Amino acid sequence: MRNQLRTTLATAVAAALTGSLIVAGAGSAAAAPSGLQGDFNGDGYRDLAIAAPIAKVDGKSNAGYVAVVYGTSSGLDTSKRTLISQASPGIPGVPETGDTFGDRITAGDLDGDSYTDLVIGVHAERIGSTDDYGVVTVVWGGANGLTSGTDISSPLPENRYEFGWDVAAGDFDGDGKADLAAANMAGPGLNVFKGPFTRTGKAAALTGIDTQSQTGIYADRIVAGNVTGDGAADLVVMGQQESGDDYITRSVLYKGGATGLKASGKLAGGYAAAVADVDKDGFGDIVTGNFMEKSTGEPNGGLGGALTVTYGSATGLSTRTPVRITQDTANVPGTAEKGDRFGWSLSAGDTNRDSYADIAVGASSEALGGKTAAGTVTVLRGSATGLTGTGSKSFSQDTAGVPGAAESHDQFGGSVHLTDSNADGRAELTAGAFAENAGAGAVWLFKAGTSGITATGSTSFGAASVGGPTGLSYFGDRFAN
């Protein structure tokens, strides 16, 4: 029987939210759309989607919504935002208890109009009165931001159990048009939709990939990126593989090419990943995060969690020995302790404009001064020798200049995202604490300068600042742009 790790976190009493979740204020682009990845309204600044997957919508608990905050020359501006739920005009579906709309999100220009679109895997959506679950909703970008959406469903047989369990966008066949991969818990395991898409949700073609029969790995998490440095995006598939009477966590690289995605080589398993060029050799490197403790079933775990850096090459995975990083690695702040969950969340970006990708790492259960699961975020620096602890920095709510105060069970670092929202060439850090204030959740914005991420001038906001509901929602659970 398939063994999927699904970490469940404690919840509290839900807060009520009535009415539609649409807030105007994106503005409109005066010129042609920028074509910039992550720019939903085409004005030349990257925007940010923030998930609140267990918010109450129209009286339905755990229905969920996504808040989109738009970028400006000064960075993300919470006064320019859109809230999207299944109660929003133009968005398919209706809010239902347990849909968790927004807990799987990614972004890409699926229809080729130079505006980035938001992709939401609504894997818990029940299809009518059947035993089938899951749709993928695309909310289309435009000059006024994200305003209307379309559902994409899978016609593949035996492929509707938690369809949309994870989603990733990329040009997997190198034809210049974005494609979409969607995982589910049955059938082939992966649906790969070939772009471009029409706004009716029709793709140019659909292929099913049975990762289990091809590689022995059940698809659980998927992350797109360019490892080989060619014109086609590659896909990292993370999951579990049978090993005797048990399962071990493994990952596999599917290389992109003219004929689509093909299984290449296996690498360290994990539950989070990022693909970026950390050593500036022109090839994407794969960083997998395994927050679990090292064990027979978690060979790539570590005391308090660990990262593994698998370097890329023109042919795929490099022959270079992968590098393992924990909080006991030289110059990495902190100390590896059981239960820290270092590697729970990952994101890549160049924080100081030196052309080396840096990696933000969430340790959501890090204890601080006796405060259990307060959480931290560490930013590791890329260099000519690869990803190391040299120059790394760590941040928490107890760091000078950071708003708030560390408290037990905040889970600060439960989500991280590096993105350049003010177009200055440096990626700023966004950190989420989904359990802040008894599960209401909150988001922190950190600026970037010549020395990378800094706590100076950092700000924080919750759902109310973008017109969302107060109370239990896990606001900041995930990010995408």
Side-chain angles (χ1 to χ4, degrees), residues 10-13 15 50-55 65 67 397 407 409-415 431-444 460-466 468-479:
T11 59
V13 178
I50 304 168
I54 65 170
Y65 71 91
Q397 290 187 70
E407 300 168 308
H409 307 297
D410 278 347
Q411 303 277 347
F412 180 83
S415 54
F434 61 85
E436 174 83 4
N437 296 330
V443 169
W444 281 256
S460 178
F461 64 94
S465 295
V466 293
T470 58
L472 183 69
S473 67
Y474 280 8
F475 181 78
D477 181 65
R478 284 206 174 200
F479 303 118

Side-chain angles (χ1 to χ4, degrees), residues 146-458:
L146 297 165
T147 56
S148 64
T150 307
D151 274 350
I152 297 172
S153 60
S154 172
L156 295 176
E158 297 182 299
N159 207 28
R160 293 300 294 276
Y161 180 61
E162 305 253 25
F163 170 64
W165 177 252
D166 207 2
V167 285
D171 181 10
F172 301 123
D173 56 7
D175 66 353
K177 301 175 178 63
D179 310 309
L180 178 67
N184 62 263
M185 301 289 99
L190 276 180
N191 290 249
V192 182
F193 297 87
K194 177 178 170 57
F197 291 71
T198 68
R199 290 207 169 190
T200 64
K202 183 176 176 58
L206 171 61
T207 302
I209 297 178
D210 190 340
T211 60
Q212 193 278 330
S213 65
Q214 291 180 7
T215 69
I217 296 173
Y218 293 99
D220 189 5
R221 294 287 186 266
I222 54 177
V223 173
N226 194 335
V227 174
T228 60
D230 60 9
D234 309 303
L235 188 72
V236 178
V237 177
M238 295 167 280
Q240 292 184 330
Q241 176 180 337
E242 292 184 45
S243 177
D245 295 330
D246 205 347
Y247 291 80
I248 60 171
T249 304
R250 293 297 302 272
S251 302
V252 61
L253 175 65
Y254 272 78
K255 290 198 314 184
T259 58
L261 293 166
K262 302 294 181 185
S264 178
K266 291 184 179 179
L267 61 150
Y271 301 94
V275 180
D277 187 2
V278 299
D279 57 359
K280 203 167 64 174
D281 65 353
F283 305 111
D285 308 306
I286 304 170
V287 183
T288 48
N290 191 330
F291 65 87
M292 300 288 284
E293 308 298 318
K294 188 175 179 64
S295 67
T296 302
E298 302 289 345
N300 300 112
L303 180 59
L307 310 182
T308 303
V309 185
T310 304
Y311 289 93
S313 71
T315 57
L317 303 181
S318 172
T319 57
R320 179 178 174 182
T321 301
V323 174
R324 193 162 172 271
I325 298 175
T326 72
Q327 286 185 294
D328 281 343
T329 298
N331 300 312
V332 174
T335 302
E337 299 166 310
K338 188 173 182 178
D340 283 346
R341 292 185 173 175
F342 183 75
W344 173 273
S345 57
L346 296 175
S347 185
D350 180 4
T351 65
N352 64 339
R353 209 160 58 184
D354 64 356
S355 298
Y356 294 100
D358 308 312
I359 303 293
V361 186
S364 61
S365 289
E366 177 88 20
L368 296 172
K371 300 161 188 171
T372 304
T376 63
V377 174
T378 299
V379 180
L380 303 175
R381 297 285 293 275
S383 71
T385 58
L387 195 67
T388 70
T390 302
S392 57
K393 301 177 182 179
S394 184
F395 304 92
S396 75
Q397 290 187 70
D398 280 349
T399 300
V402 176
E407 300 168 308
S408 291
H409 307 297
D410 278 347
Q411 303 277 347
F412 180 83
S415 54
V416 293
H417 200 68
L418 290 172
T419 189
D420 178 14
S421 61
N422 63 359
D424 70 350
R426 300 183 181 94
E428 305 98 43
L429 170 66
T430 305
F434 61 85
E436 174 83 4
N437 296 330
V443 169
W444 281 256
L445 305 179
F446 293 81
K447 295 182 178 181
T450 55
S451 61
I453 302 300
T454 177
T456 302
S458 58

